[in-house]
Coordinates of all heavy atoms in Angstrom, one line a residue:
Y1 N -10.4 8.8 7.3 CA -11.4 7.7 7.3 C -12.4 8.1 6.2 O -13.2 9.0 6.4 CB -12.1 7.5 8.6 CG -13.1 6.4 8.7 CD1 -12.7 5.1 8.9 CD2 -14.5 6.7 8.5 CE1 -13.7 4.1 9.0 CE2 -15.4 5.7 8.5 CZ -15.0 4.4 8.8 OH -15.9 3.4 8.8
P2 N -12.4 7.4 5.0 CA -13.3 7.9 3.9 C -14.8 7.8 4.2 O -15.2 6.8 4.8 CB -12.9 6.9 2.8 CG -11.5 6.4 3.1 CD -11.5 6.4 4.6
I3 N -15.5 8.8 3.8 CA -17.0 8.8 4.0 C -17.7 9.2 2.8 O -19.0 9.1 2.8 CB -17.4 9.7 5.2 CG1 -17.0 11.1 5.0 CG2 -16.8 9.1 6.5 CD1 -17.6 12.1 6.0
E4 N -17.1 9.8 1.8 CA -17.7 10.4 0.6 C -17.0 10.0 -0.6 O -15.8 10.1 -0.7 CB -17.8 11.9 0.8 CG -18.6 12.6 -0.4 CD -20.1 12.5 -0.2 OE1 -20.6 12.6 0.9 OE2 -20.7 12.2 -1.3
G5 N -17.7 9.5 -1.6 CA -17.1 9.2 -2.9 C -16.2 8.0 -2.9 O -15.2 8.0 -3.6
I6 N -16.5 7.1 -2.0 CA -15.6 5.9 -1.9 C -15.4 5.1 -3.2 O -14.2 4.8 -3.5 CB -16.1 5.0 -0.8 CG1 -16.0 5.7 0.6 CG2 -15.4 3.6 -0.7 CD1 -16.6 5.0 1.8
P7 N -16.4 4.9 -4.0 CA -16.1 4.3 -5.3 C -15.1 5.0 -6.2 O -14.3 4.3 -6.8 CB -17.5 4.2 -6.0 CG -18.5 4.2 -4.8 CD -17.9 5.1 -3.8
S8 N -15.2 6.3 -6.2 CA -14.2 7.1 -6.9 C -12.8 6.9 -6.3 O -11.8 6.8 -7.1 CB -14.5 8.6 -6.9 OG -15.8 8.8 -7.6
M9 N -12.7 6.9 -5.0 CA -11.4 6.7 -4.3 C -10.8 5.3 -4.7 O -9.6 5.1 -4.9 CB -11.6 6.8 -2.8 CG -11.9 8.1 -2.3 SD -11.9 8.1 -0.5 CE -12.2 9.8 -0.1
E10 N -11.7 4.3 -4.7 CA -11.3 2.9 -5.1 C -10.7 2.9 -6.5 O -9.7 2.2 -6.8 CB -12.4 2.0 -4.9 CG -12.9 1.7 -3.5 CD -14.0 0.8 -3.3 OE1 -14.9 0.8 -4.2 OE2 -14.1 0.1 -2.3
K11 N -11.4 3.6 -7.4 CA -10.9 3.6 -8.8 C -9.6 4.3 -8.9 O -8.7 3.8 -9.7 CB -12.0 4.3 -9.6 CG -11.7 4.3 -11.1 CD -12.9 4.9 -11.9 CE -12.6 4.9 -13.4 NZ -13.7 5.5 -14.2
R12 N -9.4 5.4 -8.2 CA -8.2 6.2 -8.3 C -7.0 5.4 -7.7 O -5.9 5.5 -8.2 CB -8.3 7.5 -7.5 CG -9.2 8.5 -8.1 CD -9.5 9.6 -7.2 NE -10.4 10.6 -7.8 CZ -11.0 11.6 -7.1 NH1 -10.9 11.6 -5.7 NH2 -11.8 12.5 -7.7
T13 N -7.2 4.6 -6.7 CA -6.2 3.9 -6.0 C -6.0 2.4 -6.4 O -5.0 1.8 -6.1 CB -6.4 3.9 -4.5 OG1 -7.6 3.2 -4.2 CG2 -6.4 5.3 -3.9
N14 N -7.0 2.0 -7.2 CA -7.1 0.6 -7.6 C -7.0 -0.4 -6.4 O -6.4 -1.4 -6.4 CB -5.9 0.2 -8.5 CG -6.1 -1.1 -9.3 OD1 -7.3 -1.4 -9.6 ND2 -5.1 -1.8 -9.7
K15 N -7.7 0.1 -5.3 CA -7.8 -0.7 -4.1 C -9.3 -0.7 -3.6 O -10.0 0.2 -3.9 CB -6.9 -0.2 -3.0 CG -5.4 -0.4 -3.3 CD -4.5 0.2 -2.2 CE -3.1 0.0 -2.5 NZ -2.2 0.5 -1.4
K16 N -9.6 -1.6 -2.8 CA -10.9 -1.6 -2.1 C -10.9 -1.0 -0.8 O -9.9 -1.1 0.0 CB -11.4 -3.1 -2.0 CG -11.8 -3.8 -3.3 CD -13.0 -3.1 -4.0 CE -13.4 -3.8 -5.3 NZ -14.5 -3.1 -5.9
F17 N -12.0 -0.3 -0.5 CA -12.1 0.4 0.8 C -11.9 -0.6 2.0 O -11.4 -0.2 3.0 CB -13.4 1.1 0.9 CG -13.8 1.7 2.2 CD1 -12.9 2.6 2.9 CD2 -15.0 1.4 2.9 CE1 -13.2 3.1 4.1 CE2 -15.3 2.0 4.1 CZ -14.4 2.8 4.7
S18 N -12.3 -1.8 1.8 CA -12.2 -2.8 2.8 C -10.8 -3.3 3.1 O -10.5 -3.9 4.1 CB -13.1 -4.0 2.4 OG -12.7 -4.6 1.2
Q19 N -9.9 -3.0 2.2 CA -8.5 -3.4 2.4 C -7.8 -2.6 3.5 O -8.0 -1.4 3.6 CB -7.7 -3.2 1.1 CG -8.0 -4.2 0.0 CD -7.1 -4.0 -1.2 OE1 -7.6 -3.5 -2.3 NE2 -5.9 -4.3 -1.2
K20 N -7.0 -3.3 4.3 CA -6.3 -2.6 5.4 C -5.4 -1.6 4.8 O -4.7 -1.8 3.8 CB -5.5 -3.7 6.2 CG -4.9 -3.1 7.4 CD -4.2 -4.2 8.2 CE -3.5 -3.6 9.5 NZ -2.8 -4.7 10.2
G21 N -5.3 -0.4 5.4 CA -4.4 0.6 5.0 C -4.8 1.4 3.8 O -4.0 2.0 3.1
F22 N -6.1 1.4 3.5 CA -6.7 2.0 2.3 C -6.3 3.5 2.2 O -5.9 4.0 1.2 CB -8.2 1.9 2.3 CG -8.8 2.5 1.1 CD1 -8.7 1.9 -0.2 CD2 -9.5 3.7 1.2 CE1 -9.3 2.5 -1.3 CE2 -10.2 4.3 0.1 CZ -10.1 3.7 -1.1
S23 N -6.3 4.2 3.3 CA -6.0 5.7 3.3 C -5.3 6.1 4.6 O -5.6 7.2 5.1 CB -7.4 6.4 3.1 OG -8.3 6.1 4.2
D24 N -4.4 5.3 5.1 CA -3.7 5.6 6.3 C -2.3 6.1 6.1 O -1.5 6.0 7.0 CB -3.8 4.4 7.3 CG -3.0 3.2 6.8 OD1 -2.5 3.3 5.6 OD2 -2.8 2.2 7.5
G25 N -2.0 6.6 4.9 CA -0.7 7.2 4.7 C -0.9 8.4 3.8 O -1.8 8.5 3.1
P26 N 0.0 9.4 3.9 CA -0.1 10.7 3.2 C -0.2 10.6 1.7 O -0.9 11.3 1.1 CB 1.0 11.5 3.7 CG 2.1 10.5 4.2 CD 1.3 9.4 4.8
G27 N 0.6 9.7 1.2 CA 0.6 9.5 -0.3 C -0.7 8.8 -0.7 O -1.3 9.2 -1.8
K28 N -1.1 7.8 0.0 CA -2.3 7.0 -0.4 C -3.5 7.9 -0.3 O -4.4 7.8 -1.2 CB -2.4 5.8 0.5 CG -1.4 4.7 0.3 CD -1.7 3.5 1.1 CE -1.2 3.6 2.5 NZ -1.4 2.3 3.3
L29 N -3.6 8.7 0.7 CA -4.9 9.5 0.9 C -4.9 10.6 -0.2 O -6.0 11.0 -0.7 CB -5.0 10.1 2.3 CG -4.0 11.2 2.7 CD1 -4.5 12.6 2.3 CD2 -3.8 11.1 4.2
S30 N -3.7 11.2 -0.5 CA -3.7 12.2 -1.6 C -4.2 11.6 -2.9 O -4.9 12.2 -3.7 CB -2.3 12.8 -1.7 OG -2.0 13.6 -0.7
K31 N -3.7 10.4 -3.2 CA -4.2 9.7 -4.4 C -5.7 9.5 -4.4 O -6.4 9.7 -5.4 CB -3.4 8.4 -4.5 CG -3.6 7.7 -5.9 CD -2.7 6.5 -6.0 CE -2.7 5.9 -7.4 NZ -1.8 4.8 -7.6
A32 N -6.2 9.0 -3.2 CA -7.6 8.8 -3.1 C -8.4 10.1 -3.3 O -9.5 10.0 -3.9 CB -7.9 8.2 -1.7
L33 N -7.9 11.2 -2.8 CA -8.6 12.5 -2.9 C -8.3 13.2 -4.2 O -8.8 14.3 -4.4 CB -8.3 13.3 -1.7 CG -8.8 12.8 -0.4 CD1 -8.2 13.6 0.8 CD2 -10.3 12.8 -0.3
A34 N -7.4 12.7 -5.0 CA -6.9 13.3 -6.3 C -6.2 14.6 -6.1 O -6.2 15.5 -6.9 CB -8.1 13.5 -7.2
I35 N -5.5 14.7 -5.0 CA -4.7 15.9 -4.7 C -3.3 15.8 -5.3 O -2.6 14.8 -5.2 CB -4.5 16.1 -3.2 CG1 -5.9 16.4 -2.5 CG2 -3.6 17.3 -2.9 CD1 -5.9 16.5 -1.0

């Protein structure tokens, strides 16, 4: 559940935090966190 650097996560994923499933999968969250 993102709490820090959300604008950067949105830029990395090309998705909005408000979208369903923004970071609820292992591949998506790694992309959001730049891992």
Side-chain angles (χ1 to χ4, degrees):
Y1 181 85
I3 60 169
E4 183 76 44
I6 292 173
S8 295
M9 292 185 180
E10 291 178 326
K11 185 175 181 180
R12 289 166 180 167
T13 61
N14 198 29
K15 293 181 179 180
K16 290 294 184 182
F17 173 52
S18 57
Q19 288 181 252
K20 185 178 181 181
F22 180 74
S23 56
D24 65 355
K28 288 186 283 186
L29 70 85
S30 288
K31 191 172 184 179
L33 294 170
I35 294 174

